[in-house]
Amino acid sequence: MTSSEAEEPTARHVSRAIAHPVVEAGDVLLEASGIGVDASWGHIYGPLDMTVHARGVTVLVGAGGRGRTSLLLTLAGRMKPTMGSLTAFGREGDAHHLFGHAAIANIDEVDGITQTIRVHDIVTEQIRWAAPWYGWVPQSTEDDLERICRPTFGDYALPTMDAMVEELPEFTATLFRIAVANIRKPPLLVVGGVDNLASDVSSRRLLGRLIALGREQTVITADVNGVDVRDGIRASIAVPNLTNQEFAALEEEATAR
């Protein structure tokens, strides 16, 4: 994929002190018309039309894979569509502006942790990144962990400061990734599919925590099976034009026999 085809802004483009726009519940936050991404080696996803309203959880219903991941990256301003138009926070075609008002979590291409590292190291790094460039930030404390993670974890137990991130239980690790990515509490939070978790119980619990976050933010996630629209779930939007949708259709046909 060339830089002209799908540019991914980096954090260096965004000031650490961003004044987020005031967004009222129900406002149109994102408006996509015929968006899609093509790379030099082929089609990734699209064209797609969708409208995302502020607050609550919007669930994109479509098969997992590179197409769905790229769509989530696009809606968080980390990738530019190569076709169609995307208006976010009142600006059309401004991925950097969208980037500055969105957090993205639980997508390995963005926040995957491959090396052996402890919880307190990640918390310290995120606090330092969010602080003014001239400020000195000491090692993180239990109070920092509580402040950063409790809004995401709710009543679930927090990881210990000396725990190795790669050894955390899947559900705990997912909530931790969301918490540290969401440290600035921007208006938009994009989270990798709730169906990425191996356990259906964990997926339901994760969706519950996203609903809680959606009381103050707009949350976008994905699920191959979709969810019922109910209190806290603002919309369930089918996204059929994903790269591997044809294979998903074949699998559905085969299992129905």
Side-chain angles (χ1 to χ4, degrees):
M1 195 182 309
T2 66
S3 59
S4 62
E5 290 170 326
E7 179 181 348
E8 296 186 25
T10 67
R12 293 186 180 89
H13 291 103
V14 183
S15 168
R16 295 184 180 185
I18 296 175
H20 296 303
V22 176
V23 181
E24 300 294 337
D27 287 351
V28 174
L29 196 72
L30 301 175
E31 185 78 37
S33 177
I35 63 169
V37 170
D38 287 319
S40 57
W41 39 265
H43 183 66
I44 299 180
Y45 77 83
L48 292 169
D49 300 323
M50 71 176 66
T51 301
V52 176
H53 295 271
R55 304 290 176 85
V57 178
T58 293
V59 180
L60 307 182
V61 184
R66 68 184 183 188
R68 197 176 78 177
T69 296
S70 297
L71 174 58
L72 292 172
L73 292 173
T74 302
L75 298 179
R78 271 61 175 177
M79 181 178 288
K80 287 184 178 179
T82 59
M83 66 179 75
S85 65
L86 177 62
T87 301
F89 297 97
R91 296 195 189 184
E92 181 180 346
D94 192 340
H96 291 308
H97 182 71
L98 174 55
F99 183 108
H101 301 301
I104 190 165
N106 198 36
I107 294 180
D108 288 340
E109 290 82 352
V110 176
D111 68 341
I113 301 172
T114 56
Q115 70 273 35
T116 301
I117 192 167
R118 296 187 186 277
V119 166
H120 77 78
D121 294 321
I122 296 294
V123 174
T124 300
E125 178 185 14
Q126 293 302 314
I127 293 174
R128 287 175 176 170
W129 182 246
W133 65 268
Y134 50 81
W136 180 78
V137 178
Q139 286 288 322
S140 59
T141 65
E142 294 283 352
D143 288 342
D144 293 321
L145 181 71
E146 179 74 21
R147 172 176 55 84
I148 291 170
C149 292
R150 186 54 64 194
T152 300
F153 276 74
D155 294 334
Y156 294 108
L158 303 184
T160 61
M161 290 288 276
D162 62 349
M164 306 303 294
V165 175
E166 63 182 9
E167 296 176 355
L168 293 176
E170 181 185 46
F171 178 65
T172 302
T174 300
L175 291 182
F176 181 65
R177 290 172 68 174
I178 295 169
V180 295
N182 198 35
I183 189 171
R184 297 183 186 88
K185 302 295 189 297
L188 176 61
L189 172 63
V190 178
V191 178
V194 294
D195 56 358
N196 290 339
L197 277 68
S199 164
D200 290 341
V201 172
S202 294
S203 294
R204 290 194 296 271
R205 289 175 176 173
L206 174 57
L207 184 60
R209 293 313 306 153
L210 296 183
I211 289 173
L213 293 174
R215 295 175 189 140
E216 297 183 0
Q217 294 174 280
T218 302
V219 181
I220 299 175
T221 189
D223 189 324
V224 65
N225 297 312
V227 299
D228 295 331
V229 176
R230 59 184 187 275
D231 187 32
I233 305 293
R234 180 167 286 278
S236 183
I237 302 174
V239 286
N241 295 332
L242 303 177
T243 303
N244 57 355
Q245 182 63 23
E246 58 183 297
F247 301 108
L250 290 173
E251 181 179 359
E252 182 179 352
E253 179 182 347
T255 57
R257 292 174 181 171

